[in-house]
Amino acid sequence: MLFQGMLLGVITAVLQSFSYLASAWFIRRHDSALKLLISSHLIMGGASAVLLPFFFPVKLFSGNSGSYLFLGLWIITFTLGQGGFFFTQKHIESSRLASLLGLKIVVLALIWCCGYGNPLNWLQICGVGLSVAAAFVMNWSGAVQLSFKGIVALIITLIAFSVTDITETNMVLVADNGDIVFAGIAVTLLCYVTLGIFSLPFLFKVRVSWKMLRDALPFAALWLISQISLLICFGILRPVFGNVIQSSRCIFSVLLGCLACHFGWQVMEHKASLMTWIRRAIAALLMIGGIACFSFGKIIG
């Protein structure tokens, strides 16, 4: 199952890289992260509601009252993480932000090691270190500085998404009745149905039009499918290893950023100098090294 989990992590990375461009496109058209948040939650919640009867995670609620707490915590941390991400995207370009999210590995590793008593071996620590180095090379080697607001929003996003990953992994493991794929799909659909319901009161504050729903559809579709893939990946590999593989989105985001600039899609990605793209390429190579180190450490560990 190790190879299948790694493949799902890569698929997640590809889908999320495209979703970042889709979210940037929406925000530039409507100038509102909140509108994207509500519109995408309604779309994903509606689609999940249609599919949930076929994938309901019965085992998750079979005499396990803690599952309701997990679900509530997931709603809070995911919404906070998404809101923080969209706000951060106003201050940091998509291809750079994708690499910065790789810093979540450090937060996850600390929680996983200290909170769950699962120490990492030296190869896995090297893998985490290379992933962090990739983020620094991508973002701190040039003259461009991050704003204070962007840094604060990024920290909130990293912590919120880390707790989200651990919470949803626990739900998948509890819901697993021998079919981890079914459990991953079921938990994802359940989470997004609940998220869609909790998003409804925001319609009194945010006016959502059919045009907004149409423009949010690409992001919502890419994100929902990526989350199904990700939760199955977490169920197989656990959140730290899953995030190391998922961080390969840095590589795909750099490639997509190159394409966006090449075709003149400045609405999604600003043009950058040759040295900037060289730094981003080096960061991508460091990320590949980090994935390789962590993967080998997992195999021998």
Side-chain angles (χ1 to χ4, degrees):
M1 293 290 285
L2 181 64
F3 174 77
Q4 290 92 327
M6 294 175 68
L7 178 60
L8 286 167
V10 172
I11 291 172
T12 300
V14 174
L15 292 172
Q16 287 188 347
S17 296
F18 278 102
S19 76
Y20 295 153
L21 290 180
S23 62
W25 179 75
F26 180 99
I27 290 173
R28 293 227 162 84
R29 282 177 66 89
H30 297 278
D31 193 32
S32 173
L34 182 60
K35 288 177 181 178
L36 175 58
L37 197 67
I38 301 304
S39 299
S40 61
H41 286 180
L42 292 175
I43 294 171
M44 291 186 286
S48 297
V50 173
L51 297 173
L52 185 60
F54 304 99
F55 294 94
F56 191 79
V58 176
K59 191 168 183 277
L60 186 63
F61 299 102
S62 299
N64 192 344
S65 59
S67 297
Y68 296 97
L69 295 177
F70 278 138
L71 187 59
L73 180 61
W74 183 90
I75 292 294
I76 294 171
T77 57
F78 177 81
T79 303
L80 185 61
Q82 283 285 70
F85 172 79
F86 291 142
F87 182 83
T88 307
Q89 200 170 38
K90 286 188 172 183
H91 301 273
I92 305 173
E93 291 177 356
S94 298
S95 59
R96 300 177 68 220
L97 180 56
S99 69
L100 279 171
L101 288 181
L103 294 174
K104 183 176 65 170
I105 299 171
V106 178
V107 180
L108 271 170
L110 289 172
I111 296 174
W112 197 248
C113 293
C114 300
Y116 287 81
N118 295 308
L120 304 178
N121 60 40
W122 69 273
L123 271 174
Q124 291 172 314
I125 293 173
C126 285
V128 171
L130 285 171
S131 299
V132 174
F136 274 85
V137 169
M138 174 79 80
N139 296 281
W140 277 276
S141 296
V144 178
Q145 299 295 319
L146 300 179
S147 68
F148 177 75
K149 288 182 179 180
I151 292 174
V152 172
L154 176 64
I155 292 172
I156 293 173
T157 301
L158 293 174
I159 295 174
F161 275 155
S162 296
V163 177
T164 297
D165 288 351
I166 291 175
T167 302
E168 59 196 13
T169 299
N170 286 330
M171 285 195 290
V172 170
L173 294 177
V174 172
D176 183 14
N177 58 358
D179 186 348
I180 196 69
V181 174
F182 181 93
I185 295 173
V187 170
T188 304
L189 297 178
L190 175 66
C191 286
Y192 281 90
V193 166
T194 308
L195 190 64
I197 293 172
F198 275 84
S199 298
L200 291 175
F202 286 92
L203 292 176
F204 292 103
K205 178 178 177 59
V206 179
R207 187 177 173 218
V208 176
S209 65
W210 285 110
K211 183 179 179 181
M212 274 187 232
L213 293 173
R214 181 199 66 194
D215 291 344
L217 182 59
F219 169 79
L222 288 166
W223 187 263
L224 183 60
I225 297 171
S226 76
Q227 290 305 287
I228 291 174
S229 176
L230 181 62
L231 262 65
I232 300 172
C233 171
F234 283 170
I236 298 172
L237 302 180
R238 304 302 185 263
V240 179
F241 191 14
N243 267 279
V244 170
I245 301 297
Q246 182 194 8
S247 292
S248 60
R249 64 175 171 256
C250 165
I251 304 165
F252 300 113
S253 291
V254 168
L255 295 175
L256 287 175
C258 287
L259 287 174
C261 289
H262 176 74
F263 289 105
W265 300 335
Q266 281 83 18
V267 68
M268 291 184 284
E269 187 77 17
H270 298 299
K271 283 188 175 181
S273 67
L274 176 61
M275 286 306 299
T276 299
W277 286 112
I278 290 175
R279 288 199 308 272
R280 293 179 180 183
I282 293 172
L285 292 175
L286 286 171
M287 187 60 70
I288 292 173
I291 293 170
C293 279
F294 201 100
S295 301
F296 190 63
K298 181 73 174 180
I299 292 171
I300 66 173

